[in-house]
Amino acid sequence: MSQTHPVASIWAATATPAPETPALAGDHRADVTVIGAGFTGLAAALRLAQGGATVRVLDAGAPGFGASGRNGGQVIPGLKLDPDALDAQFGEATTDFVGRAADVAFRLIETHAIACEPRRSGWIQASVKTSHLPTLERRAAAWAKRGASVEVLDAAAMARATGGTGFAGGWLDRRAGALHPLNYARGLARAALAAGAQIHGASRATRLTPQGKGWLVETEAGARVTSDQVVLATNGYTDGLWPGLRATVIPAHSFQVATQPLDAALLAQILPGGSVVSDTRRIGNYFRIGPGNRLMMGGRGSFAEPRSVADYGRIIAALHAIFPQSRTLGLEFQWAGRVAMTPDHLPHIHRPAPNLTIALGYNGRGVALASAMGDVIGAHLLDPSVRLPLTVSPLRPLPLHGLHPLYATAAIWYYRLRDALER
Ligand SMILES: Cc1cc2nc3c(=O)[nH]c(=O)nc-3n(C[C@H](O)[C@H](O)[C@H](O)COP(=O)(O)OP(=O)(O)OC[C@H]3O[C@@H](n4cnc5c(N)ncnc54)[C@H](O)[C@@H]3O)c2cc1C
């Protein structure tokens, strides 16, 4: 198992070695300081460094320490909002941007020869409710109208495509696919380093002070970077660095388990086409085949960090319900990570002060989108005529944010109840 990643995930156990990212020491100057080395920060740093900017990236842990190194590796374009609603709210350029988000991730992988097991074998959005099928059919048709290769699947087609039970139908989006997220994060870091960026792990930014037209960033260990621009890309791991930012999102945990390797007979039944799947429940599950032919199941857990195997009970129950044939398989990995939820289910871009750009709030679907977001933020900082894909919004701290574990837990129970009552 990799000693450089603190989470006992299937990804850490199967990862390529981490690039060298020594902690920041001393005083430095850069054009741009990027705080957070997940997909958002790394894609921004890569684009900036390629454009000739001097870049320092700081992460409290290491590249891929946060959600980017722990997720399900499902590369899904789009947002919770459907294309017509996106057109109406933001314009067609935004719809086009989110529709091409998976293209950006797969292009970065190809251009920089990132060894992260990319597989463009589609994403299935599965429904256990017949009442959700008309929405899925409309969604598939709306993306097809915009050129996406999609297919609507009935219950029999779902059973064949997934090998799982209980699906009323779904749709397949061939723009999507799978990858090894920690290797993707490390590969992006290596590409940014090769382009000239400096990346520092174990370097938590603890203070952000305006200096001239730019910023002074100080770390926990007292190192300093002055720069013209700062990009803050801390998503579910956002701390108190920028006042009020943490209270604009609800950091929730997503939990995953992975079984022991499937034998040839199970592999022929379960996801034989290599698609990745997530379902349409409000508190939904997602699954795929992962490294070593292990079956992975994920879902929203509690709002607290998992403390014992018992905390994974719901995910394991979902695994056994969807795939009764997996009941005899042992579980080899259990882990969790933090996503950032927003009340409008959209990612947010903020500019609360000159030359400070913040992007966060991917609502558990950021492999493709955070890559595309970081990339476009980098392009925009190099050339302001490049349009940002979403309206820059003011910080809107959620009322009673300190109580979020309580009301968020209540919301989870409420949504689970609605999921259970719906047909
Ligand atoms: C278990 C799980 C499963 C998921 N599955 C999927 C999936 O299958 N498909 C999908 O599309 N999305 C998925 N997601 C969501 C996706 O992983 C995230 O949306 C995406 O990785 C966010 O990237 P990011 O760079 O914005 O943030 P992160 O990757 O979370 O990075 C934030 C970084 O900021 C650093 N940081 C925080 N504060 C500071 C500070 N003060 N100074 C320095 N560094 C700091 C942290 O150490 C961290 O590394 C999943 C998430 C989780 C947790």
Side-chain angles (χ1 to χ4, degrees):
M1 176 171 309
S2 162
Q3 296 304 310
T4 51
H5 202 268
V7 181
S9 67
I10 194 171
W11 309 124
T14 57
T16 51
E20 288 289 310
T21 53
L24 185 75
D27 279 22
H28 301 272
R29 150 101 219 134
D31 295 330
V32 186
T33 308
V34 175
I35 301 171
F39 301 142
T40 308
L42 291 168
L46 172 56
R47 174 57 84 112
L48 284 160
Q50 284 180 315
T54 55
V55 187
R56 293 261 168 187
V57 182
L58 308 179
D59 198 283
F65 167 82
S68 297
R70 311 174 186 219
N71 59 67
Q74 303 200 4
V75 193
I76 308 168
L79 282 175
K80 183 133 183 170
L81 243 58
D82 280 328
D84 293 344
L86 278 171
D87 278 357
Q89 193 168 337
F90 299 104
E92 287 175 18
T94 296
T95 313
D96 190 56
F97 172 84
V98 302
R100 291 181 193 281
D103 294 350
V104 174
F106 287 113
R107 172 180 52 74
L108 286 169
I109 291 165
E110 197 178 333
T111 308
H112 301 282
I114 298 175
C116 62
E117 297 154 43
R119 198 170 72 214
R120 212 153 181 184
S121 40
W123 165 63
I124 294 173
Q125 189 172 32
S127 182
V128 290
K129 314 279 181 186
T130 42
S131 59
H132 293 181
L133 294 179
T135 306
L136 293 194
E137 281 163 21
R138 272 197 304 275
R139 184 168 301 152
W143 282 119
K145 206 173 87 187
R146 289 161 177 85
S149 170
V150 304
E151 189 180 337
V152 172
L153 306 171
D154 63 14
M158 282 297 291
R160 281 194 303 276
T162 65
T165 59
F167 298 118
W171 69 290
L172 168 68
D173 184 342
R174 293 195 184 84
R175 295 170 298 177
L179 49 67
H180 185 305
L182 184 55
N183 281 350
Y184 175 46
R186 288 180 174 176
L188 284 176
R190 275 193 208 92
L193 288 167
Q198 308 278 334
I199 306 181
H200 304 280
S203 300
R204 181 178 293 281
T206 48
R207 204 181 328 186
L208 203 49
T209 321
Q211 191 166 87
K213 287 189 180 156
W215 293 95
L216 167 67
V217 180
E218 294 169 89
T219 70
E220 217 162 20
R224 298 148 58 97
V225 194
T226 51
S227 54
D228 303 332
Q229 299 276 347
V230 168
V231 175
L232 193 46
T234 49
N235 206 45
Y237 292 82
T238 299
D239 58 15
L241 179 64
W242 186 261
L245 180 62
R246 187 176 152 77
T248 65
V249 294
I250 297 181
H253 282 93
S254 190
F255 289 23
Q256 280 181 92
V257 299
T259 66
Q260 66 189 93
L262 306 187
D263 63 20
L266 284 179
L267 271 179
Q269 283 171 31
I270 299 180
L271 298 169
S275 306
V276 298
V277 183
S278 54
D279 72 32
T280 53
R281 284 186 178 91
R282 291 177 182 82
I283 306 295
N285 296 305
Y286 51 95
F287 51 92
R288 59 170 282 183
I289 302 290
N293 293 329
R294 294 173 174 90
L295 177 58
M296 295 169 52
M297 177 69 64
R300 197 60 36 81
S302 63
F303 272 75
E305 297 274 355
R307 282 176 301 270
S308 70
V309 175
D311 289 331
Y312 292 85
R314 261 179 202 285
I315 309 295
I316 297 167
L319 172 73
H320 293 163
I322 298 169
F323 298 107
Q325 61 274 56
S326 72
R327 284 198 179 131
T328 54
L329 294 173
L331 295 178
E332 292 191 348
F333 300 96
Q334 288 119 13
W335 72 100
R338 248 180 261 162
V339 298
M341 310 303 287
T342 57
D344 57 6
H345 309 290
L346 293 168
H348 294 167
I349 303 178
H350 306 295
R351 286 200 147 147
N355 303 321
L356 170 63
T357 307
I358 301 175
L360 81 179
Y362 301 102
N363 290 276
R365 208 195 268 183
V367 175
L369 204 61
S371 306
M373 185 72 93
D375 183 63
V376 77
I377 286 174
H380 174 80
L381 294 182
L382 291 167
D383 173 3
S385 73
V386 175
R387 183 184 168 275
L388 289 172
L390 295 167
T391 317
V392 174
S393 58
L395 295 184
R396 290 197 188 90
L398 297 164
L400 301 177
H401 188 262
L403 295 178
H404 84 255
L406 292 179
Y407 67 68
T409 303
I412 285 188
W413 282 104
Y414 169 71
Y415 287 132
R416 278 200 180 119
L417 185 66
R418 285 186 62 188
D419 282 339
L421 293 177
E422 244 171 37
R423 294 169 63 83

